[in-house]
């Protein structure tokens, strides 16, 4: 079975540009999570969805960040406008809803650099 | 609120040395506990888990026992290899149906030949 697929793997863009990160969760998984990882702040949960509905977006740092999940097989994380401090590795993860006992399956991440 | 604390890194060991990475947690209720590992350039992947007190999770020579009395879930391996060099994250579930977890800060391990 294919794992969580993220694209692009690397993104380099200039500040002020719009950035869109994409995620395809594992088929059949009900929950989807977006994380950001930096050396300074570690792994931060940005937002998570259950059955395509956003459950908690309290980790989204600013209004410049938005996330959508239009269907069970696709999610996007958008940054508009981007800033250099948004540079990080962004991970998407999915899990098979199981009452809190199921592990999360991570993609390989998108390494974002804002110049 | 729920939280996870783990030992500061980086940890550097020689090949075949014994490994312990300490993890303690604060939680209400009865969380499940996890260890994840992250190899360079990759996402996190589950290493092992335990879902109730006194359970022992094990995988690839790694073990951890869910100790409710000490609120701990220490990771151990009897003989580390160079290929074990990675960042290790302790985590707990919040017990919701959404599988949200709280991750510790991670401990970097380097194993030298």
């Amino acid at each position: 079975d294919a794992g969580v697929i993220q694209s692009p793997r690397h993104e380099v863009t200039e500040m002020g540009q719009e950035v869109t990160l994409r995620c395809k969760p594992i088929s059949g998984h009900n929950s989807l999570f977006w994380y950001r990882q930096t050396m300074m702040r570690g792994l931060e949960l940005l937002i998570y969805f259950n059955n395509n509905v956003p459950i908690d977006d309290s980790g989204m740092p600013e209004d410049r960040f938005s996330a959508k999940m239009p269907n069970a097989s696709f999610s996007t994380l958008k940054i508009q406008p981007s800033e250099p401090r948004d540079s990080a590795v962004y991970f998407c993860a999915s899990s098979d809803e199981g009452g809190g006992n199921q592990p999360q399956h991570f993609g390989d991440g998108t390494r974002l650099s804002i110049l | 609120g729920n939280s996870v604390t783990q030992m500061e890194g980086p940890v550097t060991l020689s090949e075949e040395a014994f490994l312990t990475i300490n993890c303690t947690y604060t939680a209400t209720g009865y969380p499940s506990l996890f260890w994840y590992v992250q190899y360079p350039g990759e996402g996190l992947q589950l290493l092992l888990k335990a879902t109730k007190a006194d359970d022992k999770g094990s995988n690839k020579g790694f073990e951890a026992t869910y100790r409710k009395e000490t609120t701990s879930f220490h990771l151990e391996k009897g003989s580390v290899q160079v290929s074990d060099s990675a960042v290790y994250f302790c985590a707990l579930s919040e017990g919701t149906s959404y599988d949200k977890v709280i991750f510790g800060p991670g401990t970097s391990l380097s194993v030298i030949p």
Side-chain angles (χ1 to χ4, degrees), chain A residues 73-94:
Chain A
S73 59
F74 185 65
S75 177
T76 61
L77 178 67
K78 187 173 294 186
I79 308 172
Q80 167 63 20
S82 58
E83 297 183 5
R85 60 195 168 115
D86 302 331
S87 298
V89 182
Y90 290 81
F91 288 103
C92 174
S94 69

Side-chain angles (χ1 to χ4, degrees), chain A residues 31 33 95-102 104, chain B residues 96-101:
Chain A
S31 294
F33 306 82
S95 69
D96 184 6
E97 183 180 345
N101 296 331
Q102 298 305 312
Q104 295 184 12
Chain B
T96 69
S97 61
Y98 307 132
D99 297 323
K100 176 186 174 185
V101 301

Side-chain angles (χ1 to χ4, degrees), chain B residues 20-87:
Chain B
T20 299
I21 300 178
N22 291 336
C23 170
T24 57
Y25 67 90
T26 302
T28 55
Y30 303 94
S32 293
L33 301 175
F34 306 86
W35 276 100
Y36 284 79
V37 59
Q38 184 180 27
Y39 298 103
E42 298 183 9
L44 282 69
Q45 56 185 274
L46 179 70
L47 180 59
L48 52 84
K49 73 174 186 180
T51 59
K52 61 183 187 296
D54 299 326
D55 267 2
K56 177 185 285 187
S58 61
N59 186 26
K60 300 180 181 179
F62 291 89
E63 293 183 338
T65 302
Y66 189 165
R67 301 288 188 197
K68 189 168 176 62
E69 64 276 13
T70 54
T71 63
S72 65
F73 193 54
H74 304 322
L75 182 68
E76 297 182 335
K77 186 176 185 183
S79 176
V80 293
Q81 305 300 311
V82 172
S83 57
D84 294 326
S85 298
V87 180

